[in-house]
Amino acid sequence: MDRLAAERQRMVQVQIEGRGLSDPRLLDAFRQVPRHLFVPRGSRDWAYDDRPLPIGFGQTISQPYIVALMTALAEIQDTERVLEIGTGSGYQAAILACMAAEIHTVEIIPELAGLAARRLARLGRANVHVHQSDGSVGWSPAAPYEVILVTAAAPSVPGPLLEQLADGGRMVIPVEHGDGYQMLTVVRRRGGKVSENAIAPVAFVPLRGRYGWQQA
Ligand code: SAH
């Protein structure tokens, strides 16, 4: 096994399993996806560290545990369709592609969308569709989705995302609570009812666009 593959196995064992996430499908996805191919070339030696890393354009790839936690909270079934807002490096989308039937991921920065699409294609992830657009309004052409993951911090849960969540669906989203304090929140839709569950404080880059921070 090469050094990076060994580091990846250790990352799963220490940072993910070691913190109590045990779903075998989740662990398998993290063992498979080469995270070092989703960070800038000069950062590969840090790809399996327990922290976020810069990916250019003022954006970051999240800490591995946070990617795992959001994925676990979404309770993804392999027949389901997933919408991700904030493609960034494409790493979270690659993980989702191992666990769900079809992924739509939306990125507002054209260069990042292009780079992520090329990486995912090279890895043969044919069930991921990258769209360059303002994802704060969701991606209506493929709605509804059983799962929506938002990987940037929103001022509040965007209405269009709620509308695009299927009955029985789960949305995992960091919501701003003032002073840079964000709460990772699970939103569930059952019938006409919507429930919100606060999970843990987190630090994400801001969601831009129509239902995000327009100036950010
Ligand atoms: N999930 C990513 C990390 C996301 S960082 C990964 O696995 O690497 C947050 C990303 O959200 C950034 O790339 C940022 O450009 C993007 N973003 C911010 N506002 C957005 C919006 N309104 N629509 C789509 N993407 C947005």
Side-chain angles (χ1 to χ4, degrees), residues 28-34 38 90-103 105 116-130:
D28 231 49
F30 279 85
R31 284 192 193 103
Q32 278 178 44
V33 178
F38 290 86
Y91 179 68
Q92 170 82 75
I95 295 288
L96 295 169
C98 298
M99 301 183 66
E102 189 179 316
I103 319 298
T105 180
R118 283 196 295 280
R119 283 177 181 141
L120 290 160
R122 216 176 296 138
L123 289 173
R125 299 291 172 196
N127 59 339
V128 186
H129 309 278
V130 180

Side-chain angles (χ1 to χ4, degrees), residues 79-134:
T79 53
E80 290 184 334
R81 299 166 70 250
V82 180
L83 173 66
E84 179 195 24
I85 308 304
T87 314
S89 67
Y91 179 68
Q92 170 82 75
I95 295 288
L96 295 169
C98 298
M99 301 183 66
E102 189 179 316
I103 319 298
H104 290 269
T105 180
V106 185
E107 171 57 52
I108 202 166
I109 299 178
E111 291 86 346
L112 288 177
L115 199 54
R118 283 196 295 280
R119 283 177 181 141
L120 290 160
R122 216 176 296 138
L123 289 173
R125 299 291 172 196
N127 59 339
V128 186
H129 309 278
V130 180
H131 311 285
Q132 192 268 308
S133 182
D134 172 13

Side-chain angles (χ1 to χ4, degrees), residues 139-169:
W139 183 255
S140 57
Y145 308 92
E146 281 80 26
V147 169
I148 300 180
L149 286 192
V150 183
T151 63
S156 59
V157 178
L161 294 187
L162 258 187
E163 283 161 25
Q164 291 171 30
L165 192 61
D167 192 17

